[in-house]
Amino acid sequence: MDFEITAKDVLGRICRIETPHGRIETPTVLPVINPNIPFISPSKMRDFGAQAVITNAYIIFRSFGEEAIEKGVHKLLDVDFPIMTDSGSYQLMLYGDVEVSNREIIEFQRKINSDFIVPLDIPTPPDADFETARKDLEITIEREKEAKEIKGESFLVLPIQGSTHAELRRESAKKAKEIGGDVYAIGAVVPLMDAYRFRDLARIILEVRSVLRVEPLHLFGCGHPMVFALAVALGCDLFDSAAYALYAKDDRYLTVYGTKNLSELQYFPCNCPNCTKMEPDEVRELEKREREIFLAEHNLYVTFSEIRTIKNAIKENSLFELVEKRIRAHPNLLSAWRQIKDYSKILENSDPSIKRKFLYCGLETLMRPAVKRHLDSLKQINFEKDTIVISTDFGIIADLYLRPVFGPVPSELLESYPAGHAEIPDADIIEKEALETAVENLKELMRNLQGKRFVIYLSGRWKEFLKDLPGECEYVLH
Ligand SMILES: [Zn+2]
């Protein structure tokens, strides 16, 4: 598969995937199309910003059979852009059984000329016991091997399973990589998202990304715009979801800050063509079918608007800032994101080291690789003087100035990224952790400069934090 990364930020990327039915630029969402009852016509999906769709090969197999093979899936859905077909695993999870074999459904997907085909993997639900999850995974791996042999010209999507067991998710990713797919897809996470278990979700994505460092990664069934920024920043490129339709059927309205019930909205907080044309009161008066379409269209508009916002953030290297704002929509998103501190190596390897801006958004900002990189770069500097002057006040001539978050900043770096380009609240008002981090960085640098004498000018709130510094220190309070 022709796949190119054109921009990177955090673990997120903008990628181009060339398919026989045109280019896909990720991150993007593939709206789910039910081939029997298309809620919004597939050809209209382009108008909302979709570049590809996903449909269910198992439903097509049962409902259309030979007709689908004669026409091909593109003609069947009346679209000329790329289509991914799912295999029936979702039905397997729902009903416990499907009336088709792995080989049959892969051959069928090939015959209907699907651009991306998916084997019939076993979707082990969250919290399954280890042995069950391991046995299911063995079957999935065998089916993936079989798929690789018979996939033909189509691109192969290899699902990653293993329930909530980190070890099994990694194992699944390793085995899938050995088999060799074109796209890798994290499966069976919808129950986690439905229960707002974003912490487990983020952990699974990070475990998979620690094995699959660059490969295209799809997150099956993720369709809520509230989660996209976090999932992209953790390394997901592709999403698919029926959320736009399922939520609409339930009178639910998607926003990047969460879900609203139509009944609780007095105003629409959105600028899409639908929300600027009608008031919530008027929409509540519509017939059920019309109301569903109104909401589904809004849900699609807000979905692709968020995708464009994320792509822009990747381009201007402000994805950390965007995620740190978005995770405030729900405490479970905050908990999910804070786990990046356990994966700092992966982040450091991927996140660009030079950016234009560094905007402090809260405690999570302290976990960005730029903070640690700043300290690493300080250790490379050769301080020739025997006495080093450190000041918390920019009005005093000093060798090092103390800033919250970063700690010591040499005067010659006061105009450079990150510390020099950082917008940070004043020391007298910022969270104490931002001062503690700064002091830790200072201590580590001072330990690195053994034998030097330090003169430290202290003012304001810094006085509380700058105690017990290593080495020979003279404190000047002012
Ligand atoms: Zn809207």
Side-chain angles (χ1 to χ4, degrees):
M1 190 177 77
D2 198 354
F3 160 76
E4 186 195 358
I5 299 173
T6 62
K8 283 165 75 172
D9 199 24
V10 197
L11 295 175
R13 316 88 67 80
I14 295 180
C15 309
R16 284 194 197 125
I17 297 172
E18 303 291 347
T19 82
H21 291 93
R23 173 184 293 176
I24 300 172
E25 192 182 69
T26 72
T28 193
V29 184
L30 281 58
V32 173
I33 305 291
N34 180 334
N36 282 330
I37 23 166
F39 193 54
I40 290 174
S41 85
S43 58
K44 216 185 155 203
M45 286 298 172
R46 270 261 164 93
D47 301 345
F48 301 99
Q51 302 167 39
V53 293
I54 182 166
T55 190
N56 191 298
Y58 180 61
I59 296 176
I60 297 177
F61 176 77
R62 294 194 46 163
S63 308
F64 298 92
E66 283 300 316
E67 184 197 342
I69 295 173
E70 273 164 39
K71 281 188 176 171
V73 67
H74 294 82
K75 210 167 165 196
L76 194 74
L77 297 187
D78 187 28
V79 298
D80 56 5
F81 46 79
I83 298 177
M84 185 184 285
T85 43
D86 197 0
S87 57
S89 300
Y90 182 71
Q91 281 68 24
L92 196 61
M93 185 157 76
L94 230 48
Y95 310 117
D97 194 22
V98 284
E99 291 160 11
V100 72
S101 72
N102 183 51
R103 177 172 285 272
E104 273 176 303
I105 200 67
I106 291 161
E107 281 174 350
F108 181 72
Q109 290 178 79
R110 205 184 66 199
K111 285 179 191 160
I112 61 174
N113 203 18
S114 168
D115 295 287
F116 297 89
I117 65 176
V118 183
L120 189 65
D121 60 318
I122 310 289
T124 318
D127 311 316
D129 67 81
F130 189 87
E131 263 316 291
T132 307
R134 196 185 59 78
K135 281 182 184 152
D136 283 355
L137 181 56
E138 271 175 21
I139 302 171
T140 293
I141 293 166
E142 283 313 306
R143 291 181 178 183
E144 291 180 347
K145 285 179 187 160
E146 186 175 41
K148 173 81 178 187
E149 283 164 24
I150 54 178
K151 73 175 191 73
E153 296 290 302
S154 301
F155 297 138
L156 180 61
V157 181
L158 292 182
I160 310 292
Q161 294 292 347
S163 183
T164 25
H165 302 286
E167 186 189 331
L168 292 178
R169 289 284 183 174
R170 281 197 307 274
E171 176 70 13
S172 179
K174 265 182 221 154
K175 284 285 186 320
K177 193 177 173 175
E178 281 168 28
I179 295 164
D182 297 292
V183 173
Y184 299 82
I186 298 176
V189 288
V190 170
L192 293 177
M193 290 185 278
D194 286 347
Y196 281 55
R197 288 174 60 183
F198 301 128
R199 198 170 166 170
D200 291 314
L201 176 72
R203 178 73 62 177
I204 290 170
I205 300 170
L206 284 162
E207 290 295 338
V208 171
R209 257 296 171 233
S210 62
V211 177
L212 302 168
R213 295 292 178 93
V214 291
E215 293 80 357
L217 189 62
H218 184 120
L219 189 60
F220 267 135
C222 175
H224 201 305
M226 168 184 179
V227 187
F228 291 154
L230 173 130
V232 169
L234 296 180
C236 296
D237 305 304
L238 291 155
F239 304 95
D240 72 273
S241 182
Y244 70 97
L246 297 175
Y247 281 67
K249 284 179 183 169
D250 225 3
D251 274 343
R252 288 189 291 169
Y253 179 98
L254 301 180
T255 82
V256 292
Y257 306 106
T259 312
K260 296 276 181 199
N261 275 313
L262 179 60
S263 63
E264 62 179 332
L265 282 170
Q266 301 303 312
Y267 302 95
F268 286 131
C270 169
N271 273 327
C272 82
N274 284 20
C275 296
T276 47
K277 177 172 75 189
M278 286 178 92
E279 297 290 337
D281 270 341
E282 297 169 297
V283 178
R284 281 190 280 268
E285 295 297 310
L286 294 175
E287 292 293 323
K288 174 134 179 77
R289 180 77 186 161
E290 271 182 278
R291 202 167 69 232
E292 279 174 13
I293 289 173
F294 179 96
L295 290 172
E297 287 181 349
H298 156 79
N299 289 345
L300 285 166
Y301 279 121
V302 73
T303 291
F304 287 100
S305 158
E306 178 64 354
I307 291 291
R308 288 190 296 274
T309 302
I310 293 167
K311 284 164 90 165
N312 213 45
I314 295 173
K315 276 278 187 201
E316 61 174 30
N317 290 130
S318 62
L319 188 55
F320 268 116
E321 280 85 351
L322 179 67
V323 176
E324 290 168 14
K325 284 171 209 158
R326 290 289 187 255
I327 53 176
R328 278 160 173 74
H330 197 280
N332 294 2
L333 288 170
L334 260 180
S335 314
W337 183 247
R338 286 184 181 176
Q339 298 174 111
I340 60 167
K341 67 177 189 306
D342 302 335
Y343 296 84
S344 54
K345 272 274 165 286
I346 306 173
L347 275 165
E348 273 174 49
N349 286 337
S350 172
D351 186 47
S353 52
I354 300 288
K355 304 187 185 189
R356 265 183 298 169
K357 269 205 264 184
F358 183 102
L359 213 69
Y360 182 88
C361 301
L363 288 181
E364 298 74 28
T365 301
L366 302 173
M367 297 171 192
R368 295 188 202 166
V371 180
K372 187 173 171 293
R373 283 191 193 129
H374 170 72
L375 177 66
D376 293 343
S377 69
L378 287 181
K379 288 181 182 168
Q380 307 301 319
I381 298 177
N382 192 16
F383 293 89
E384 286 176 357
K385 291 199 255 172
D386 292 329
T387 300
I388 294 172
V389 180
I390 301 169
S391 176
T392 59
D393 180 348
F394 289 94
I396 286 167
I397 295 173
D399 302 300
L400 294 168
Y401 292 96
L402 278 184
R403 294 207 72 188
V405 179
F406 293 99
V409 184
S411 50
E412 60 268 33
L413 292 184
L414 283 175
E415 298 297 325
S416 313
Y417 180 86
H421 288 194
E423 302 280 350
I424 304 174
D426 295 333
D428 62 342
I429 206 87
I430 200 166
E431 287 88 346
K432 71 173 179 18
E433 288 84 350
L435 298 182
E436 285 166 358
T437 304
V439 172
E440 278 314 307
N441 276 2
L442 175 65
K443 282 183 177 170
E444 199 165 334
L445 179 69
M446 288 169 81
R447 278 192 288 267
N448 220 41
L449 296 171
Q450 264 183 8
K452 305 269 185 199
R453 196 175 152 264
F454 302 99
V455 178
I456 302 145
Y457 287 85
L458 297 171
S459 59
R461 202 174 159 215
W462 285 106
K463 291 174 196 166
E464 295 167 40
F465 292 87
L466 288 165
K467 290 174 190 160
D468 310 318
L469 296 175
E472 190 194 337
C473 299
E474 180 192 332
Y475 296 91
V476 185
L477 304 180
H478 73 116

